[in-house]
Each structure stands twice: as structure tokens, then as C-alpha cells.
Amino acid sequence: MTLLTDLRVLDLADPQMGLAGQTLADLGADVVQWHTESQIDGTNRWVRQAYGRNKRTLESEADSIAALLSGVDVLIESPRPDGTWRFDEAAIARSNPHLIHASVSWFGRTGPKSHYAATDLIATAASGFLSLTGAPGSAPLRISCPQAAHHAAADAA
């Protein structure tokens, strides 16, 4: 599909949030997924491949994010593993007022839980969704695919 062929996207999202960039790529956007080899463990490599369809991937530490950011229309980012963000929202809005900036994280960019590390299971449990799974009176059951990540990434796209 070629709906978004004129759109350039820089995808710096957590591997589990890769559906956002994949959706835009599937609609024709030019999506560049950037990460360093040190960010990828065995599970994340698998997830990157699963959501890497139609994306270009840069894995070099030499590639400058600032250089990649120039000329893009959309930035999708998640916090780094230590919970910090690469970009200040206000500063990036001043430097590129036309940039669409999607910040995708488990507990938001600000607020009392914004610094919490999480997984899809933690986010799904915190949302209350797990209370709907399993048999009455028994422990909840994890759903097979990462529901919280998929919903967040779909909303971001």
C-alpha cells in the first residue's frame, strides 16, 4: 500500500512497541529503525525481526541520531532501558515544529510511575485487564501476545 509514501519516520521505539513503525511502513512510509547492537539481546532481536517488516534498519553506533532526525516527519520513541528519554519534548518541538513526535512507554512520560521499568505482563496487570482472564477464583492467565504493547503501538501509529 502506498498511502504514506511521502512520510519519513525515525523509529527509536522499544522493540515491543515496534508495531507502530511497522504499521506506518506497511502503509508506505519510509521507516528507519535505529538501534545499537548493545541494545539488542536475544529476545529483543527476535521482536525486532518480527516488527521489522518494510523497515530499513541501521545498527551502527556511528550513526548519529541527530543526523537521522533531520529530514524526518515522524519520530517514534520509547524510553531507554534505564528509563531516560533521548529527547526533551519542548526542545524538539522548538527545533522542528512540524515533527510528529510519538512517545510510547509503559507508564507515560510524566507522573508517579513514569520511571517504573515494566514488561507487557506488568502493564497488562496494572491496567486491570488480567482480572478478566482465567477461571473464577483462580489466578489470572497471561494472554499469548503482548496486548498492552500492541494497543499502545497501534494508538501511536
Side-chain angles (χ1 to χ4, degrees):
M1 184 175 275
T2 59
L3 184 64
L4 302 177
T5 53
D6 295 334
L7 197 65
R8 295 195 62 214
V9 179
L10 178 57
D11 184 354
L12 302 176
D14 178 278
Q16 292 189 36
M17 304 291 184
L19 182 63
Q22 179 187 314
T23 300
L24 298 178
D26 288 348
L27 292 172
D30 178 18
V31 179
V32 175
Q33 173 179 279
W34 182 88
H35 58 270
T36 64
E37 200 56 36
S38 62
Q39 294 172 304
I40 304 300
D41 61 22
T43 302
N44 285 342
R45 182 179 314 284
W46 172 111
V47 173
R48 284 264 185 215
Q49 290 171 354
Y51 296 119
R53 181 178 64 230
N54 295 326
K55 294 181 188 178
R56 292 185 296 134
T57 301
L58 299 174
E59 296 184 9
S60 170
E61 303 243 5
D63 292 314
S64 163
I65 292 176
L68 293 172
L69 191 56
S70 66
V72 299
D73 304 299
V74 178
L75 168 64
I76 305 169
E77 73 164 329
S78 294
R80 296 180 191 138
D82 67 1
T84 62
W85 292 85
R86 287 181 180 84
F87 302 102
D88 173 80
E89 287 179 300
I92 204 165
R94 281 191 305 273
S95 66
N96 190 345
H98 301 289
L99 180 72
I100 298 168
H101 183 190
S103 299
V104 187
S105 69
W106 297 112
F107 291 107
R109 197 173 182 105
T110 60
K113 295 181 182 178
S114 62
H115 65 284
Y116 283 17
T119 63
D120 191 79
L121 183 58
I122 291 169
T124 305
S127 74
F129 185 75
L130 283 185
S131 67
L132 303 174
T133 66
S138 67
L141 298 174
R142 182 181 189 283
I143 297 172
S144 62
C145 63
Q147 290 295 310
H150 283 170
H151 284 281
D155 286 346

